[in-house]
Amino acid sequence: MVSGRGAYVTDADGNEYTDLVAAWGPALLGHAHPAVIDAVKSAAERGLGFGASVPAEAELAEEIISRVPAVERLRLVSTGTEATMTAIRLARGATGRPLLVKFAGHYHGHSDGLLAEAGSGLATLSLPGSAGVTEATAAQTLVLPYNDLPALEAAFTEHGERIAAIIAEAAAANMGVLPPEPGFTRSMIELAHRHGALVILDEVLTGFRAGPSGYLGVLGDELRGDGTGDPVAPIS
């Protein structure tokens, strides 16, 4: 692609396409919107990069925290891969455990441990899903079918004391749009916390388009307890 304007992009041969990718979500106003261009120019005139924090980062963090009540601490990164890699490292560091549970069809970036395929059984350790990923790395990931609570329970029965975290797309989209079954997310969080594991809800694609708090806001009703508004468990 060589250019874009509004809802359309043009390739190197001059062909025009309707852009349904929209920069994987952030291009809410389309390409080259005058207000966006003006804002980018204004920012560039102040400097392109500093390798240090800037006031706009703090302002953005405050806006995110105001929209997503579950957020207590926030770190801004450049890509989804970087975000999930950091979250997994934090989970392993906090729990002192090596294993990660992910769901088949969910995509969390291209770090080695997430490019794994399911083993021969529901609770077995996984196999490399890409050339260049070692068996030892893949073996630290359990790949389970999504929306299958019995499979998740079986994995914790066999490996519970070694599982650091479950990672899941909050709104599954990389396997087709497949929402969690009613109660699944809540049960997943309760099960993980009961075994001392954490939960990483990876939500990039919907951004804040699904509402002021994004898809985590859509999940809010499911994650509430007895009607008091208190979550059943914190989102880790």
Side-chain angles (χ1 to χ4, degrees):
M1 298 302 167
V2 296
S3 66
R5 183 164 295 278
Y8 306 97
V9 291
T10 303
D11 68 15
D13 295 322
N15 300 305
E16 188 175 74
Y17 306 86
T18 300
D19 183 9
L20 301 180
V21 179
W24 292 276
L28 296 179
L29 303 181
H31 295 276
H33 190 285
V36 175
I37 296 299
D38 287 345
V40 171
K41 286 181 177 179
S42 176
E45 288 171 353
R46 296 193 299 271
L48 292 176
F50 303 100
S53 296
V54 298
E57 289 180 274
E59 294 167 3
L60 178 58
E62 290 172 352
E63 179 67 21
I64 293 171
I65 290 171
S66 72
R67 292 185 180 207
V68 187
V71 175
E72 296 176 354
R73 295 186 179 185
L74 183 146
R75 179 184 180 186
L76 299 174
V77 295
S78 298
T79 67
T81 293
E82 185 181 354
T84 55
M85 180 179 66
T86 302
I88 291 166
R89 184 175 298 171
L90 286 170
R92 284 178 168 144
T95 62
R97 299 174 176 183
L99 300 185
L100 177 74
V101 172
K102 73 176 293 287
F103 296 107
H106 286 209
Y107 178 71
H108 305 291
H110 58 269
S111 57
D112 287 358
L114 296 172
L115 297 178
E117 294 180 343
S120 59
L122 291 181
T124 62
L125 299 177
S126 301
L127 303 171
S130 175
V133 176
T134 66
E135 291 185 6
T137 299
Q140 293 184 325
T141 303
L142 298 168
V143 182
L144 304 178
Y146 187 47
N147 277 325
D148 191 335
L149 189 59
L152 192 58
E153 291 172 338
F156 273 98
T157 296
E158 185 166 345
H159 302 287
E161 293 184 354
R162 301 181 65 218
I163 294 174
I166 304 169
I167 187 169
E169 289 186 58
N174 285 281
M175 57 194 298
V177 179
L178 182 63
E181 295 289 342
F184 178 78
T185 301
R186 176 177 173 177
S187 297
M188 175 182 71
I189 292 173
E190 291 177 335
L191 178 63
H193 287 187
R194 191 160 63 244
H195 287 270
L198 302 176
V199 174
I200 301 165
L201 292 180
D202 175 9
E203 186 46 51
V204 173
L205 291 177
T206 65
F208 290 101
R209 294 179 297 170
S213 57
Y215 195 71
L216 292 179
V218 176
L219 282 175
D221 290 340
E222 180 177 339
L223 299 180
R224 296 184 191 281
D226 56 5
T228 64
D230 295 327
V232 172
I235 298 174
S236 304

